[in-house]
């Protein structure tokens, strides 16, 4: 009875619903990209109170979790500039990229 009941309640995802879901995730990724770009001037305008940092972190999370192109872009930045990864906390690396931080050599390689 339970098996029969579970097959009745499981509805296939319609193409329209799937398309709306994909569009919503892309909007969230673009919002994350905008938040990263806006966080830089805000950080310079508020040097005493770090308002830009939470905005940038939220933007990175939105971009990395909702778009493969955003995750690839951020991974390429980290590959080109390995010292940037040193500033990222471990929880952020696991949340966005699903991995631990890489060890960075003192000379930046």
């Amino acid at each position: 009875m339970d098996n029969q009941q579970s097959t009745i309640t499981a509805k296939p995802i319609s193409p329209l619903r799937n398309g709306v879901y994909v569009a919503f995730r892309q909007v969230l990724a673009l919002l994350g990209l905008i938040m990263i770009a806006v966080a830089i001037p805000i950080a310079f305008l508020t040097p005493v109170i770090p308002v830009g940092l939470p905005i940038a972190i939220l933007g990175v999370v939105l971009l990395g979790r909702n778009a493969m192109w955003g995750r690839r872009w951020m991974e390429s930045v980290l590959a080109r500039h390995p010292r940037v990864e040193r500033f990222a906390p471990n929880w952020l690396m696991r949340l966005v990229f699903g991995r631990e931080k890489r060890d960075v050599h003192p000379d930046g390689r």
Side-chain angles (χ1 to χ4, degrees):
M1 180 79 178
D2 289 332
N3 189 17
Q4 188 180 33
Q5 194 175 29
S6 65
T7 58
I8 293 171
T9 58
K11 295 180 184 177
I13 297 176
S14 69
L16 179 64
R17 184 175 173 193
N18 193 22
V20 169
Y21 181 69
V22 169
F24 181 68
R25 286 185 63 143
Q26 292 301 309
V27 167
L28 286 177
L30 286 173
L31 179 66
L33 189 62
I34 291 168
M35 289 177 79
I36 292 169
V38 166
I40 296 168
I42 288 176
F44 285 118
L45 292 174
T46 59
V48 177
I49 304 169
V51 176
L53 185 62
I55 294 172
I57 289 174
L58 184 61
V60 165
V61 169
L62 283 174
L63 182 60
R65 297 290 290 182
N66 291 306
M68 283 302 294
W69 57 267
R71 186 176 300 164
R72 279 193 303 258
W73 173 72
M74 288 188 291
E75 283 282 2
S76 70
V77 168
L78 291 176
R80 278 182 277 149
H81 308 285
R83 288 185 162 182
V84 173
E85 192 169 336
R86 177 178 57 172
F87 297 109
N90 239 353
W91 62 267
L92 184 63
M93 294 300 290
R94 282 191 307 268
L95 182 67
V96 175
F97 300 110
R99 65 171 173 83
E100 298 290 325
K101 288 171 55 170
R102 294 184 188 122
D103 292 330
V104 179
H105 297 286
D107 62 353
R109 289 187 273 152

